[in-house]
Amino acid sequence: MGFSSFTFLSFLLLLPFSSPSPSPSNLPILSFHEAYNHLFGDANLLLLNHGKSVHLHLDERTGAGFLSQDLYLHGFFSASIKLPADYTAGVVVAFYMSNGDMFENNHDEIDFEFLGNIRGKEWRVQTNIYGNGSTNVGREERYGLWFDPAEDFHQYSILWTDSRIIFYVDEVPIREVKRTASMGGEFPSKPMTLYATIWDGSSWATNGGKYKVNYKYAPYIAEFSEFVLHGCTVDPIEQVFPKCDLTQISEASIPNNITTAKRTKMESFRRKHMTYSYCYDHLRYKIPPAECVLDPQEAKRLQRFDPVTFGRGRRHHAKHRHSSQAEFTSV
């Protein structure tokens, strides 16, 4: 007997259900005027293509930035970004969420930070979170990428729910932060505004401030387009914020987890391209923060990359090392 339609249907029903991945393709794309306001930088912010694209310039005078018109409690936030090329030491491009203007001493933050580099070295990408003013605990991770982010536009996205935060690059999840009891109030939980900025981070961004911004290469131009702001907006006057159900604000599906296939891609990315994780930084934390789940293989790989930071050695015993560049291979 052949493979009947009934058998085929039964087979499909046994497959694990998976929601579609968050993507600008199934979410509304907004123009700058619909979603954002100018933050700083005067003429260093330039609108193009009827407000569908934005150029942020950094020169000797100033950087530039913009912010969302609305305040959000959870959602999916995305932009297509093309970074400055050539010598970019000290240049910081940031795409992030924050409520520091509302909660000065106990703010929350979710960060994509792009840290420039000297010529011949690829841009480095850093993710970080703060909750309830927990700036004394840095939760940074840094990565190389499998492409040159200055050659073309690539999509960078943040999914933020009440239970997890997921960072995406071109729809590939690169980091998942789950809310745990051990984190307490240090998981971002208050409404935030979305920001995009370019600025001079000479004091720290490249090799701890060893290489500064060289303005003979200015202006440095970061390009933004394909803006997605898909979340629950809240009134900043409200003192009690309502629960946000992302599935009710649009017909588009926003998953609350990572599918098996996407998790495989995430693990591959982290294995090939992650160069720093706070969880394994013995110089900063003698005991890893409570939410860290340590992976012996990940620890061993990072220790080979930097035996001082990720090992048990002492700094004065470390010899000068040249870090190998991350392979430009797809995940």
Side-chain angles (χ1 to χ4, degrees):
M1 178 180 287
F3 193 56
S4 70
S5 58
F6 174 81
T7 306
F8 180 67
L9 178 59
S10 301
F11 169 74
L12 289 179
L13 292 174
L14 291 174
L15 290 176
F17 173 80
S18 62
S19 302
S21 298
S23 164
S25 64
N26 62 4
L27 295 173
I29 305 295
L30 303 175
S31 71
F32 182 87
H33 299 293
E34 290 177 297
Y36 291 101
N37 289 325
H38 193 164
L39 177 61
F40 75 99
D42 303 323
N44 281 19
L45 185 151
L46 181 64
L47 298 182
L48 301 170
N49 194 20
H50 304 289
K52 294 180 181 178
S53 299
V54 178
H55 286 191
L56 298 183
H57 294 214
L58 170 66
D59 56 29
E60 290 182 274
R61 185 175 57 89
T62 184
F66 57 87
L67 75 165
S68 63
Q69 296 172 7
D70 290 318
L71 193 66
Y72 295 87
L73 179 64
H74 307 142
F76 182 77
F77 311 95
S78 183
S80 186
I81 305 172
K82 182 180 178 182
L83 298 174
D86 207 349
Y87 182 96
T88 56
V91 178
V92 177
V93 176
F95 180 69
Y96 66 105
M97 305 193 74
S98 178
N99 50 32
D101 57 338
M102 294 179 59
F103 303 96
E104 184 177 351
N105 297 319
N106 62 335
H107 85 285
D108 305 287
E109 199 166 306
I110 304 173
D111 300 332
F112 259 119
E113 293 177 303
F114 306 93
L115 310 178
N117 219 329
I118 59 177
R119 184 184 284 114
K121 301 288 186 179
E122 74 275 7
W123 277 83
R124 294 162 301 147
V125 180
Q126 176 168 286
T127 61
N128 197 8
I129 69 164
Y130 296 116
N132 203 32
S134 58
T135 53
N136 62 317
V137 181
R139 292 183 166 89
E140 301 94 338
E141 287 189 353
R142 285 193 290 274
Y143 329 89
L145 293 168
W146 65 95
F147 53 81
D148 183 348
E151 284 189 350
D152 204 352
F153 285 91
H154 292 270
Q155 205 75 26
Y156 303 90
S157 310
I158 297 168
L159 175 67
W160 172 39
T161 75
D162 62 353
S163 62
R164 71 192 67 215
I165 296 163
I166 304 174
F167 296 89
Y168 293 86
V169 176
D170 286 342
E171 301 182 33
V172 175
I174 65 168
R175 181 183 184 184
E176 178 184 33
V177 180
K178 294 182 179 180
R179 185 173 197 159
T180 64
S182 61
M183 291 183 72
E186 295 186 1
F187 185 90
S189 58
K190 299 185 292 295
M192 289 190 275
T193 302
L194 188 71
Y195 293 84
T197 58
I198 186 171
W199 52 284
D200 186 331
S202 291
S203 63
W204 66 276
T206 305
N207 289 37
K210 179 179 179 181
Y211 299 100
K212 317 294 184 183
V213 174
N214 187 337
Y215 284 103
K216 82 175 185 180
Y217 298 104
Y220 296 96
I221 303 174
E223 305 175 49
F224 293 77
S225 66
E226 296 187 354
F227 305 111
V228 174
L229 288 167
H230 185 79
C232 295
T233 59
V234 299
D235 186 337
I237 306 302
E238 294 267 352
Q239 295 299 311
V240 178
F241 303 113
K243 181 176 176 60
C244 178
D245 185 352
L246 294 177
T247 62
Q248 294 180 358
I249 63 177
S250 172
E251 294 180 359
S253 178
I254 297 291
N256 194 26
N257 54 25
I258 300 175
T259 66
T260 300
K262 291 289 186 180
R263 189 166 296 279
T264 298
K265 287 191 173 185
M266 181 173 72
E267 292 170 355
S268 175
F269 170 86
R270 295 173 67 82
R271 188 169 59 250
K272 293 178 181 178
H273 301 293
M274 187 168 73
T275 60
Y276 175 87
S277 170
Y278 76 103
C279 283
Y280 302 95
D281 189 336
H282 298 297
L283 297 180
R284 292 174 66 187
Y285 304 113
K286 301 304 180 186
I287 300 175
E291 77 273 6
C292 289
V293 178
L294 302 183
D295 180 337
Q297 290 186 338
E298 197 167 65
K300 187 175 181 180
R301 189 186 68 79
L302 289 175
Q303 187 171 351
R304 288 198 301 268
F305 178 80
D306 186 342
V308 176
T309 301
F310 302 116
R312 300 292 183 181
R314 297 178 181 176
R315 182 172 293 278
H316 66 270
H317 287 160
K319 295 181 180 179
H320 181 70
R321 295 176 305 280
H322 294 282
S323 300
S324 60
Q325 292 192 21
E327 297 176 282
F328 287 106
T329 55
S330 73
V331 296

PDB file of all heavy atoms in Angstrom, residues 32 36-45 64-67:
ATOM      1  N   PHE A  32      10.752  57.114   9.044  1.00  0.00           N
ATOM      2  CA  PHE A  32      11.288  57.853  10.175  1.00  0.00           C
ATOM      3  C   PHE A  32      10.208  58.741  10.797  1.00  0.00           C
ATOM      4  O   PHE A  32      10.066  58.795  12.023  1.00  0.00           O
ATOM      5  CB  PHE A  32      12.483  58.702   9.733  1.00  0.00           C
ATOM      6  CG  PHE A  32      13.131  59.475  10.852  1.00  0.00           C
ATOM      7  CD1 PHE A  32      14.124  58.894  11.636  1.00  0.00           C
ATOM      8  CD2 PHE A  32      12.737  60.778  11.134  1.00  0.00           C
ATOM      9  CE1 PHE A  32      14.704  59.602  12.675  1.00  0.00           C
ATOM     10  CE2 PHE A  32      13.325  61.500  12.175  1.00  0.00           C
ATOM     11  CZ  PHE A  32      14.310  60.906  12.946  1.00  0.00           C
ATOM     12  N   TYR A  36       9.940  57.968  14.663  1.00  0.00           N
ATOM     13  CA  TYR A  36      11.083  58.514  15.394  1.00  0.00           C
ATOM     14  C   TYR A  36      11.093  60.035  15.442  1.00  0.00           C
ATOM     15  O   TYR A  36      10.438  60.715  14.646  1.00  0.00           O
ATOM     16  CB  TYR A  36      12.395  58.048  14.743  1.00  0.00           C
ATOM     17  CG  TYR A  36      12.673  56.574  14.904  1.00  0.00           C
ATOM     18  CD1 TYR A  36      12.418  55.673  13.865  1.00  0.00           C
ATOM     19  CD2 TYR A  36      13.195  56.068  16.090  1.00  0.00           C
ATOM     20  CE1 TYR A  36      12.677  54.324  14.006  1.00  0.00           C
ATOM     21  CE2 TYR A  36      13.454  54.719  16.248  1.00  0.00           C
ATOM     22  CZ  TYR A  36      13.195  53.853  15.194  1.00  0.00           C
ATOM     23  OH  TYR A  36      13.456  52.521  15.352  1.00  0.00           O
ATOM     24  N   ASN A  37      11.903  60.544  16.367  1.00  0.00           N
ATOM     25  CA  ASN A  37      12.215  61.972  16.457  1.00  0.00           C
ATOM     26  C   ASN A  37      13.730  62.146  16.488  1.00  0.00           C
ATOM     27  O   ASN A  37      14.465  61.255  16.925  1.00  0.00           O
ATOM     28  CB  ASN A  37      11.613  62.598  17.719  1.00  0.00           C
ATOM     29  CG  ASN A  37      10.105  62.718  17.641  1.00  0.00           C
ATOM     30  OD1 ASN A  37       9.542  62.972  16.569  1.00  0.00           O
ATOM     31  ND2 ASN A  37       9.434  62.532  18.769  1.00  0.00           N
ATOM     32  N   HIS A  38      14.173  63.314  16.046  1.00  0.00           N
ATOM     33  CA  HIS A  38      15.588  63.677  16.090  1.00  0.00           C
ATOM     34  C   HIS A  38      16.003  63.848  17.554  1.00  0.00           C
ATOM     35  O   HIS A  38      15.324  64.508  18.327  1.00  0.00           O
ATOM     36  CB  HIS A  38      15.764  64.996  15.329  1.00  0.00           C
ATOM     37  CG  HIS A  38      17.174  65.344  15.016  1.00  0.00           C
ATOM     38  ND1 HIS A  38      17.510  66.299  14.079  1.00  0.00           N
ATOM     39  CD2 HIS A  38      18.354  64.898  15.504  1.00  0.00           C
ATOM     40  CE1 HIS A  38      18.825  66.414  14.009  1.00  0.00           C
ATOM     41  NE2 HIS A  38      19.347  65.570  14.871  1.00  0.00           N
ATOM     42  N   LEU A  39      17.117  63.244  17.950  1.00  0.00           N
ATOM     43  CA  LEU A  39      17.588  63.322  19.336  1.00  0.00           C
ATOM     44  C   LEU A  39      18.667  64.372  19.502  1.00  0.00           C
ATOM     45  O   LEU A  39      18.566  65.264  20.340  1.00  0.00           O
ATOM     46  CB  LEU A  39      18.112  61.958  19.791  1.00  0.00           C
ATOM     47  CG  LEU A  39      18.703  61.868  21.195  1.00  0.00           C
ATOM     48  CD1 LEU A  39      17.661  62.235  22.248  1.00  0.00           C
ATOM     49  CD2 LEU A  39      19.261  60.464  21.464  1.00  0.00           C
ATOM     50  N   PHE A  40      19.750  64.282  18.719  1.00  0.00           N
ATOM     51  CA  PHE A  40      20.819  65.277  18.773  1.00  0.00           C
ATOM     52  C   PHE A  40      21.616  65.218  17.486  1.00  0.00           C
ATOM     53  O   PHE A  40      21.473  64.290  16.691  1.00  0.00           O
ATOM     54  CB  PHE A  40      21.726  65.050  19.990  1.00  0.00           C
ATOM     55  CG  PHE A  40      22.674  63.875  19.861  1.00  0.00           C
ATOM     56  CD1 PHE A  40      24.001  64.067  19.490  1.00  0.00           C
ATOM     57  CD2 PHE A  40      22.248  62.577  20.114  1.00  0.00           C
ATOM     58  CE1 PHE A  40      24.877  62.995  19.373  1.00  0.00           C
ATOM     59  CE2 PHE A  40      23.108  61.500  20.009  1.00  0.00           C
ATOM     60  CZ  PHE A  40      24.424  61.702  19.624  1.00  0.00           C
ATOM     61  N   GLY A  41      22.447  66.220  17.275  1.00  0.00           N
ATOM     62  CA  GLY A  41      23.348  66.201  16.138  1.00  0.00           C
ATOM     63  C   GLY A  41      23.017  67.177  15.039  1.00  0.00           C
ATOM     64  O   GLY A  41      23.750  67.278  14.054  1.00  0.00           O
ATOM     65  N   ASP A  42      21.915  67.933  15.178  1.00  0.00           N
ATOM     66  CA  ASP A  42      21.573  68.958  14.188  1.00  0.00           C
ATOM     67  C   ASP A  42      21.652  68.397  12.768  1.00  0.00           C
ATOM     68  O   ASP A  42      20.986  67.430  12.446  1.00  0.00           O
ATOM     69  CB  ASP A  42      22.487  70.179  14.347  1.00  0.00           C
ATOM     70  CG  ASP A  42      22.423  70.766  15.748  1.00  0.00           C
ATOM     71  OD1 ASP A  42      21.320  70.763  16.321  1.00  0.00           O
ATOM     72  OD2 ASP A  42      23.458  71.194  16.277  1.00  0.00           O
ATOM     73  N   ALA A  43      22.507  69.006  11.944  1.00  0.00           N
ATOM     74  CA  ALA A  43      22.611  68.614  10.534  1.00  0.00           C
ATOM     75  C   ALA A  43      23.320  67.279  10.337  1.00  0.00           C
ATOM     76  O   ALA A  43      23.421  66.796   9.201  1.00  0.00           O
ATOM     77  CB  ALA A  43      23.329  69.707   9.747  1.00  0.00           C
ATOM     78  N   ASN A  44      23.816  66.667  11.406  1.00  0.00           N
ATOM     79  CA  ASN A  44      24.487  65.366  11.276  1.00  0.00           C
ATOM     80  C   ASN A  44      23.501  64.204  11.179  1.00  0.00           C
ATOM     81  O   ASN A  44      23.898  63.054  11.104  1.00  0.00           O
ATOM     82  CB  ASN A  44      25.447  65.136  12.444  1.00  0.00           C
ATOM     83  CG  ASN A  44      26.747  65.886  12.232  1.00  0.00           C
ATOM     84  OD1 ASN A  44      26.822  66.823  11.448  1.00  0.00           O
ATOM     85  ND2 ASN A  44      27.788  65.478  12.940  1.00  0.00           N
ATOM     86  N   LEU A  45      22.212  64.505  11.209  1.00  0.00           N
ATOM     87  CA  LEU A  45      21.186  63.517  10.907  1.00  0.00           C
ATOM     88  C   LEU A  45      20.546  63.920   9.585  1.00  0.00           C
ATOM     89  O   LEU A  45      20.023  65.026   9.445  1.00  0.00           O
ATOM     90  CB  LEU A  45      20.135  63.454  12.014  1.00  0.00           C
ATOM     91  CG  LEU A  45      19.057  62.374  11.867  1.00  0.00           C
ATOM     92  CD1 LEU A  45      18.542  61.923  13.243  1.00  0.00           C
ATOM     93  CD2 LEU A  45      17.860  62.856  11.037  1.00  0.00           C
ATOM     94  N   ALA A  64      25.412  62.045  16.264  1.00  0.00           N
ATOM     95  CA  ALA A  64      23.997  62.255  15.989  1.00  0.00           C
ATOM     96  C   ALA A  64      23.195  61.082  16.538  1.00  0.00           C
ATOM     97  O   ALA A  64      23.745  60.010  16.825  1.00  0.00           O
ATOM     98  CB  ALA A  64      23.748  62.417  14.486  1.00  0.00           C
ATOM     99  N   GLY A  65      21.891  61.291  16.659  1.00  0.00           N
ATOM    100  CA  GLY A  65      21.040  60.219  17.133  1.00  0.00           C
ATOM    101  C   GLY A  65      19.569  60.521  16.962  1.00  0.00           C
ATOM    102  O   GLY A  65      19.175  61.667  16.734  1.00  0.00           O
ATOM    103  N   PHE A  66      18.759  59.460  17.064  1.00  0.00           N
ATOM    104  CA  PHE A  66      17.305  59.620  17.045  1.00  0.00           C
ATOM    105  C   PHE A  66      16.691  58.655  18.039  1.00  0.00           C
ATOM    106  O   PHE A  66      17.359  57.724  18.525  1.00  0.00           O
ATOM    107  CB  PHE A  66      16.730  59.438  15.641  1.00  0.00           C
ATOM    108  CG  PHE A  66      17.036  58.123  14.972  1.00  0.00           C
ATOM    109  CD1 PHE A  66      16.219  57.007  15.164  1.00  0.00           C
ATOM    110  CD2 PHE A  66      18.110  57.997  14.103  1.00  0.00           C
ATOM    111  CE1 PHE A  66      16.486  55.803  14.521  1.00  0.00           C
ATOM    112  CE2 PHE A  66      18.386  56.796  13.451  1.00  0.00           C
ATOM    113  CZ  PHE A  66      17.568  55.693  13.657  1.00  0.00           C
ATOM    114  N   LEU A  67      15.419  58.877  18.374  1.00  0.00           N
ATOM    115  CA  LEU A  67      14.722  58.045  19.352  1.00  0.00           C
ATOM    116  C   LEU A  67      13.284  57.839  18.925  1.00  0.00           C
ATOM    117  O   LEU A  67      12.716  58.653  18.186  1.00  0.00           O
ATOM    118  CB  LEU A  67      14.783  58.646  20.748  1.00  0.00           C
ATOM    119  CG  LEU A  67      13.890  59.853  21.071  1.00  0.00           C
ATOM    120  CD1 LEU A  67      13.835  60.059  22.583  1.00  0.00           C
ATOM    121  CD2 LEU A  67      14.354  61.124  20.393  1.00  0.00           C
TER     122      LEU A  67
END
